[in-house]
Amino acid sequence: MDTSTRLACALAFAACHAAHAAAAGAPPATLERLHVASALTPPQSFTFGVEGPAVDAAGNVYAVNFARQQTIGKVKPNGEAAVFVTLPGTSVANGIRFGPDGAMFVADYVEHTIYRIDPASGAIAVHAREAAMSQPNDLAITAGGVIYASDPDWKKNAGRVWRIDPDGSVTLAADQLGTANGIDVSPDGRTLYVNESVQRNIWAFTIEPDGTLGGKRRIASFADFALDGMRVDVDGNLYVTRIGKGTVVKLSPQGRILAEIALPGKKPSNISFGGPDGRTAYVTEVENGQLLQFRVARPGLEWQQRQAGGVKAAR
C-alpha cells in the first residue's frame, strides 16, 4: 500500500471513529486529554474539612469549609472563590447536593441536621434534624426529591442510611452497615449505591416504589485504601474517591474497574460533575486543601438531571 493510500485510509478511519463517538454522545478522544487532574483553586484555600462538592446550573462549584470551618465556598469555573454562606451555631457541613427544584441541601454532621439553602438569597432553613443520627455525611437525591443520607459511626466502625422525604420526615432506611460514606442513585432511580470507608465495600440496594431499601448486594470490594465520596455518570458508572491512594476509581454498575485517575494529593474526599457539558469532574482534596478538576468521557448524572430540570444557579 503506497503512502497516499495509507493516508486516505487513516483519514477515513479517523472520520468514522469521530462520527461514532459523536453518535454515542462522547467527543473524539483526539480533541482532549481525559483523566488528567489539575488544580482549580490554590493549595490551602480550603481547610482540612474540605468536602462537598456540588455544581449549579451556571457551572459554579460549591464546597464546604472555604478559608475557615463552617462556611460553604462558591468557586467560579475560572477558580475565583468566595464565601457563599456561613452555617449557624456550631454546624459544620460535609456533603452538598442540589435538589430537583434547585434548592441546595447540606449535611451537617455536628448538629445532625440537613439544611436547605435558597440558592438565590442564601437563606438557610432546617429541612430535617434527627438526634439519632451519628453524623450525616453525604447525600443522594432522587428525581422525586427523596434524600438518602449516609451516616457513619466512626467509633464503632458502623453505619446506617437515612431516608428524608420531601416534607422533612426522617426514616431509618438501612442499618448494620460498616462506615457508610459515599452514596448515589442509579440513572433509572432503582438502585442506591453506598460505600463503606473502613471496610472498603460498595453495596447496591434496590429502591422500592415506596422508597424503602431492599435487595442488598455487594458489587465491589477493595483490599486497601479507604473509600470516600462517590458519584454516578449518565451510563451508571461509579466514580469513587480513594483516601490515602490519591486516586478516583471508575467502576461499571456491576463493580468492574474501568479506570483509575491519579491526583495531585493523597486524600481526595468527594467528587461532583459540572462544566459546560457535564464532563468535568471536580474533586475536593484534603492534603492540599483545594479543589481539583479533570475531564471525563461522559457527563455526570447529576449534571444531566440538573439541565433537564432547569435548576437555577445560586447567587
Side-chain angles (χ1 to χ4, degrees):
M1 184 183 295
D2 60 29
T3 302
S4 61
T5 304
R6 288 195 196 96
L7 180 59
C9 289
L11 290 172
F13 175 80
C16 179
H17 178 75
H20 176 76
T30 55
L31 294 183
E32 62 181 342
R33 296 178 65 195
L34 304 179
H35 301 171
V36 179
S38 62
L40 179 63
T41 65
Q44 313 313 321
S45 50
F46 288 82
T47 75
F48 64 90
V50 61
E51 255 278 8
V55 185
D56 69 18
N60 301 302
V61 187
Y62 298 83
V64 307
N65 301 319
F66 172 72
R68 62 184 185 275
Q69 293 289 94
Q70 295 194 273
T71 66
I72 296 175
K74 174 182 177 181
V75 184
K76 295 180 180 180
N78 65 2
E80 181 184 334
V83 172
F84 173 58
V85 294
T86 298
L87 297 180
T90 61
S91 293
V92 181
N94 202 80
I96 306 173
R97 294 300 288 258
F98 283 99
D101 64 352
M104 177 188 287
F105 292 92
V106 178
D108 160 29
Y109 66 88
V110 174
E111 296 192 5
H112 307 172
T113 299
I114 308 300
Y115 285 111
R116 178 186 174 103
I117 301 177
D118 184 272
S121 67
I124 302 171
V126 173
H127 180 62
R129 179 169 283 160
E130 175 53 64
M133 291 179 176
S134 299
Q135 56 172 82
N137 186 283
D138 210 353
L139 305 175
I141 304 182
T142 69
V146 174
I147 298 172
Y148 292 94
S150 61
D151 183 28
D153 185 334
W154 299 105
K155 292 181 180 179
K156 297 180 180 179
N157 277 342
R160 299 169 288 186
V161 173
W162 299 87
R163 187 183 83 235
I164 300 98
D165 291 326
D167 64 359
S169 58
V170 180
T171 305
L172 183 62
D175 203 355
Q176 299 182 340
L177 285 164
T179 48
N181 200 325
I183 188 168
D184 210 352
V185 178
S186 63
D188 63 6
R190 297 177 181 176
T191 303
L192 181 73
Y193 298 103
V194 183
N195 72 42
E196 299 168 330
S197 289
V198 175
Q199 295 77 12
R200 301 183 297 273
N201 296 312
I202 301 177
W203 299 94
F205 293 84
T206 299
I207 302 175
E208 304 295 348
D210 62 356
T212 58
L213 301 179
K216 178 184 176 185
R217 63 264 185 206
R218 183 167 56 190
I219 65 165
S221 183
F222 294 83
D224 52 17
F225 299 107
L227 308 181
D228 207 323
M230 181 167 64
R231 289 292 182 270
V232 173
D233 72 10
V234 294
D235 298 324
N237 299 311
L238 299 165
Y239 286 76
V240 188
T241 58
R242 300 188 69 185
I243 290 278
K245 190 174 185 181
T247 65
V248 172
V249 62
K250 177 184 177 182
L251 302 101
S252 72
Q254 295 75 37
R256 181 169 62 90
I257 294 178
L258 304 175
E260 192 152 17
I261 300 101
L263 304 170
K266 294 296 184 182
K267 297 181 178 181
S269 58
N270 215 329
I271 185 169
S272 186
F273 291 97
D277 54 6
R279 295 193 301 108
T280 299
Y282 295 103
V283 178
T284 48
E285 201 283 310
V286 174
E287 185 176 59
N288 295 312
Q290 64 185 151
L291 269 169
L292 306 174
Q293 60 185 345
F294 59 85
R295 297 285 286 163
V296 297
R298 298 281 285 157
L301 177 63
E302 59 187 340
W303 179 88
Q304 182 192 63
Q305 292 174 334
R306 192 165 54 247
Q307 300 306 306
V311 173
K312 56 187 176 181
R315 60 180 170 87

